[in-house]
Amino acid sequence: MKILVLNCGSSSIKYALYNMDDRSVMTSGGAERVGLDNAFVKVKLANGEKKQIMHDIPEHTEGVKFIFSLLTDPEIGVIKDLKEIDAVGHRMVHGGEKFNKSVVLTDEVLKVFEECSDLAPLHNPANLKGVNAVSELMPGLPQVGVFDTAFHQTMPAKAYMYAIPYELYDKYAIRRYGFHGTSHRYVSKRVCEFLGVKPEEKRVITCHIGNGGSVAAVENGKCIDTTMGLTPLEGVMMGTRSGDIDGGAVSFIQKKLGLDADGISNLLNKKSGLFGITGISSDMREIDAAAKNGDEKARLALDMYFYRIKKYVGAYAAAMGGTDIIVFTAGVGENQANMREEVCRDMEWMGVKLDNEKNATVHGEETIISAPDSKVTVVVVPTDEELMIATDTMELL
């Protein structure tokens, strides 16, 4: 069975074609600058070779159409006919309270999903464009939606409700939803497979730390809490997002800078976090280098970043009455040894003891990095959201 995975953002389209007989990636890539000048598509072939192709992509349908043409291209294509594709799995960002699992995309489902667009005005319409593009180009091809928020729908009300007037929840569904759910679901399940234990018997803390970051508490295979909220802004400090901030500070900044709602949203989402503190970059590698060269703001940013992740790990251990496994994943989580070391430092009180020598050598491979006598097993597990989407698609169909 061959399944195409699509992740349509506001100005990008990421894709991967899977052969689910052996779960191999036949090809993958992404279109960038959709709707903008100088658009291009990056393609990664199964042999590891990479190509960049300039192509005008005025909107998503044209982008999907061009990706389809690359899949069957005589030189770099991996299939002879689009009919070889059995289904398409889509990453859908915000399912609100409507979706707690992946679903086959029917007209009725898409209508309900469209009603959630108010909660994710940039992402949900783009997701919908991807679905419509496939429907237009390959009518009748089965499509499945896998929701970023679905895994977190098992959170109890005490975890997801905000302490604001209840009618705001009733009228506008304002509550915490959480994101990166496909990743948290994948790594919390995969780490148990890797360790040979049952998810239903373990308390797992998953740390998805990349340019965007979130932490989740997964008890007996179900999410009971996560750091992101109504939007991906809440929680830990991120590359350009502030993470947790006093609501009063937000209104204070608005007044001082004369910002409207869009202006303050732009400041908190795109000009804050690591970038906001350092003024250098949102890239951990650049900030790490600057800190080593004596840049005080870079050092402060790293200290803040590590501390906030550590704080949530401790909080979720308290929420679950302890923890058995801590997982680090995503770009920073899989590759930044000093982040993992700082988060786990002085955590022996809750049973965490890191093998610092082993931790220092791990970059993106499944590895236990805790010491043999650590009561809590600390593991690096590379995330694979695309494979999770492909697997859900195959199982549903």
Side-chain angles (χ1 to χ4, degrees), residues 94-360:
H94 213 310
E97 293 183 315
K98 308 291 186 182
F99 302 101
N100 59 10
K101 60 183 178 181
S102 303
V103 294
V104 176
L105 296 175
T106 62
D107 290 342
E108 184 180 351
V109 166
L110 291 174
K111 185 178 179 181
V112 174
F113 176 69
E114 205 167 353
E115 293 170 1
C116 299
S117 290
D118 202 28
L119 296 169
L122 288 179
H123 295 91
N124 277 22
N127 299 159
L128 201 57
K129 286 178 182 178
V131 176
N132 292 336
V134 173
S135 296
E136 182 179 327
L137 296 165
M138 295 186 69
L141 185 68
Q143 300 187 71
V144 166
V146 179
F147 301 88
D148 246 18
T149 51
F151 182 61
H152 304 305
Q153 288 302 296
T154 50
M155 286 192 293
K158 65 181 180 183
Y160 69 68
M161 287 296 292
Y162 288 121
I164 55 177
Y166 195 88
E167 57 262 30
L168 292 173
Y169 170 66
D170 272 343
K171 285 184 179 180
Y172 308 113
I174 297 175
R175 50 158 283 186
R176 296 176 63 246
Y177 290 98
F179 297 87
H180 298 138
T182 308
S183 176
H184 286 294
R185 178 160 63 105
Y186 174 80
V187 297
S188 62
K189 181 181 178 182
R190 175 59 200 155
V191 73
C192 291
E193 292 173 353
F194 178 64
L195 297 175
V197 298
K198 295 180 180 179
E200 299 80 12
E201 300 174 353
K202 296 298 175 183
R203 298 161 298 178
V204 183
I205 297 173
T206 50
C207 304
H208 176 108
I209 311 298
N211 192 264
S214 61
V215 182
V218 183
E219 188 171 21
N220 303 327
K222 294 183 178 180
C223 177
I224 65 158
D225 206 346
T226 190
T227 55
M228 284 181 167
L230 176 74
T231 75
L233 180 61
E234 189 180 0
V236 298
M237 180 177 172
M238 300 170 231
T240 62
R241 295 181 187 131
S242 65
D244 294 339
I245 183 171
D246 176 9
V250 175
S251 57
F252 183 81
I253 294 167
Q254 271 191 287
K255 289 177 183 177
K256 287 293 183 183
L257 300 184
L259 298 174
D260 59 11
D262 289 340
I264 193 69
S265 176
N266 186 60
L267 184 146
L268 295 174
N269 279 287
K270 297 181 179 179
K271 297 181 179 179
S272 299
L274 290 166
F275 175 73
I277 296 295
T278 64
I280 298 170
S281 172
S282 61
D283 191 310
M284 279 290 286
R285 292 163 295 192
E286 294 181 31
I287 295 169
D288 216 25
K292 289 175 181 175
N293 286 329
D295 188 306
E296 291 185 8
K297 287 182 180 177
R299 183 67 260 166
L300 171 62
L302 291 178
D303 288 344
M304 292 170 64
Y305 189 77
F306 301 151
Y307 173 72
R308 293 181 179 204
I309 299 168
K310 184 191 192 89
K311 186 167 67 170
Y312 269 113
V313 169
Y316 287 164
M320 294 189 290
T323 184
D324 304 299
I325 303 166
I326 297 173
V327 186
F328 290 100
T329 193
V332 177
E334 294 168 26
N335 296 290
Q336 199 88 12
N338 64 333
M339 182 277 293
R340 299 187 299 253
E341 181 179 349
E342 290 301 324
V343 170
C344 294
R345 186 186 298 278
D346 299 324
M347 296 282 266
E348 287 86 356
W349 61 271
M350 60 174 272
V352 177
K353 186 176 180 182
L354 205 64
D355 183 332
N356 289 322
E357 289 185 14
K358 195 169 190 180
N359 175 56

